[in-house]
Amino acid sequence: MGDLEAEKHVKYILSVEKKDDFESLVLEHLRMNGAYWGLTTLDLLHKLDAVDPDEVVSWMMECYHQDCGGFGGNIGHDPHLLYTLSAVQILALFDRLDVLDIEKVSDYVAGLLNEDGSFSGDIWGETDTRFSYCAICCLSILHRLDKIDVEKAVSYIVSCKNLDGGFGSIPGGESHAGQIFCCVGALAITGSLHHVDKDLLGWWLCERQCKDGGLNGRPEKLADVCYSWWVLSSLIMIDRVHWIDKDKLTRFILNCQDRENGGISDRPDNAVDVFHTYFGVAGLSLMEYPGLKSIDPAYALPVDVVNRIFFGK
Ligand code: GRG
């Protein structure tokens, strides 16, 4: 098994920002998410100091909508919970949460809670358990969970639980590893994991490991590096990570590296991108790969950042 090409991945992440190619074009509308993936990867690789925080924060504040308190995916784009969480996470990485009007941002997030306990992603109303996670994670980082009826939000998430132990995007929606991360993460943050049948869900999640060692997101699908994060983080939160063959998964992720130019792809020999580079490195971090910072499975931020937020150290 070859090693992690840490230096090449750092160079790759730094180069994406400067390029004017297809990948940058595709990321244009969700640049805030891209920035979170890239910057968190740099931090896990101990290289966050390769970027100028002032430059990032000043661009981020141009994506901020002062009228409502939410962030857009790029300058001139509409606000949405998906980008607001990424913005809050990036500011937490840089220890710059002080630039925020915390009351305004948390009011924006709390204002998206619906009567049935679901969250809309923005004013247009689509609901999805992804947004429940974004809202709960955001409010928790800002120490403002008291702005919502947590019990109601938790009941809604529980109503998205399926007979196979997994969770979907809405009540009755198919179990999917990405949605399971969102639901289990939100339940972990709110101290509500007793609603999860850990053995049943653990069984469903560990069955996601394919012959090639990689993990898929639901039955009959191909393995993809990003599920190393969605599945493993969920297994850790329910104390069942030992049900996965970590060596095989580590090998799968390392085989998805571009050993020449850096970056990680979804599957071996495919084109790399920032999303899979982040989730590959984050998956390795969850498996305690040597030399990487540890990442928190619920907040998707390095453990030292989470400790600083909650314990001030
Ligand atoms: C802070 C880590 C973090 C997340 C924020 C946005 C969000 C909260 C979570 C997204 C969870 C999710 C739904 C992930 C799945 C992403 C993905 C690869 C979807 C692909 O779905 P399909 O059906 O792919 O195209 P499969 O693998 O099922 O064929």
Side-chain angles (χ1 to χ4, degrees):
M1 176 181 6
D3 289 339
L4 180 68
E5 303 282 355
E7 272 177 40
K8 290 193 175 146
H9 298 325
V10 170
K11 269 197 196 141
Y12 165 71
I13 298 282
L14 295 172
S15 75
V16 172
E17 183 53 30
K18 296 185 177 71
K19 278 191 306 196
D20 189 17
D21 63 359
F22 182 69
E23 187 177 355
S24 317
L25 200 69
V26 182
L27 278 177
E28 138 86 21
H29 68 293
L30 37 80
R31 195 162 175 237
M32 190 67 78
N33 294 151
Y36 156 72
W37 302 326
L39 293 166
T40 311
T41 307
L42 289 181
D43 201 14
L44 293 175
L45 294 168
H46 304 274
K47 283 288 183 300
L48 190 59
D49 57 5
V51 293
D52 175 2
D54 290 336
E55 212 177 291
V56 180
V57 172
S58 108
W59 166 75
M60 286 177 64
M61 293 320 283
E62 285 193 68
C63 302
Y64 177 61
H65 292 254
Q66 224 168 349
D67 51 331
C68 69
F71 282 83
N74 208 336
I75 299 171
H77 290 231
D78 291 345
H80 196 287
L81 264 182
L82 288 168
Y83 311 121
T84 305
L85 172 62
S86 286
V88 167
Q89 287 173 311
I90 294 168
L91 292 172
L93 275 181
F94 286 126
D95 198 11
R96 295 292 296 275
L97 286 165
D98 57 299
V99 303
L100 287 181
D101 179 342
I102 289 180
E103 294 313 316
K104 186 103 202 180
V105 175
S106 50
D107 281 343
Y108 167 76
V109 175
L112 291 165
L113 177 65
N114 299 310
E115 205 38 58
D116 64 355
S118 65
F119 275 89
S120 299
D122 61 12
I123 54 163
W124 302 109
E126 183 197 3
T127 62
D128 187 310
T129 45
R130 282 178 304 155
F131 310 147
S132 300
Y133 170 80
C134 290
I136 286 171
C137 186
C138 220
L139 290 173
S140 175
I141 292 173
L142 299 176
H143 304 284
R144 292 295 185 281
L145 265 177
D146 57 335
K147 290 210 173 184
I148 57 162
D149 183 342
V150 171
E151 213 176 303
K152 200 193 241 187
V154 164
S155 299
Y156 179 79
I157 292 170
V158 173
S159 76
C160 297
K161 186 164 72 173
N162 292 318
L163 288 174
D164 57 16
F167 294 81
S169 57
I170 51 171
E174 180 189 2
S175 293
H176 187 286
Q179 309 295 151
I180 291 173
F181 159 78
C182 292
C183 295
V184 172
L187 294 176
I189 290 172
T190 54
S192 316
L193 280 174
H194 53 279
H195 291 292
V196 178
D197 183 336
K198 294 181 182 168
D199 285 337
L200 188 62
L201 177 59
W203 183 242
W204 190 93
L205 287 168
C206 78
E207 284 206 310
R208 305 280 57 77
Q209 189 151 34
C210 304
K211 281 208 178 73
D212 56 14
L215 306 175
N216 64 16
R218 46 191 165 143
E220 308 302 330
K221 291 283 191 161
L222 290 175
D224 177 323
V225 158
C226 76
Y227 295 110
S228 313
W229 170 264
W230 311 116
V231 173
L232 268 190
S233 58
S234 304
L235 280 168
I236 291 174
M237 290 188 272
I238 61 167
D239 302 319
R240 299 293 183 276
V241 76
H242 52 288
W243 289 5
I244 283 280
D245 185 332
K246 287 193 197 175
D247 287 342
K248 278 180 85 176
L249 178 57
T250 302
R251 217 169 303 136
F252 177 81
I253 300 173
L254 294 176
N255 281 339
C256 291
Q257 298 178 100
D258 179 336
R259 294 196 173 274
E260 221 170 288
N261 302 310
I264 299 176
S265 56
D266 56 353
R267 284 184 270 285
D269 301 323
N270 281 356
V272 303
D273 59 65
V274 196
F275 176 83
H276 290 95
T277 304
Y278 168 49
F279 288 113
V281 171
L284 291 172
S285 162
L286 288 175
M287 293 189 286
E288 298 169 354
Y289 190 90
L292 294 177
K293 271 195 182 184
S294 312
I295 187 161
D296 184 277
Y299 288 95
L301 283 171
V303 168
D304 61 340
V305 172
V306 174
N307 285 342
R308 189 170 63 215
I309 296 168
F310 295 106
F311 308 112
K313 59 179 183 189

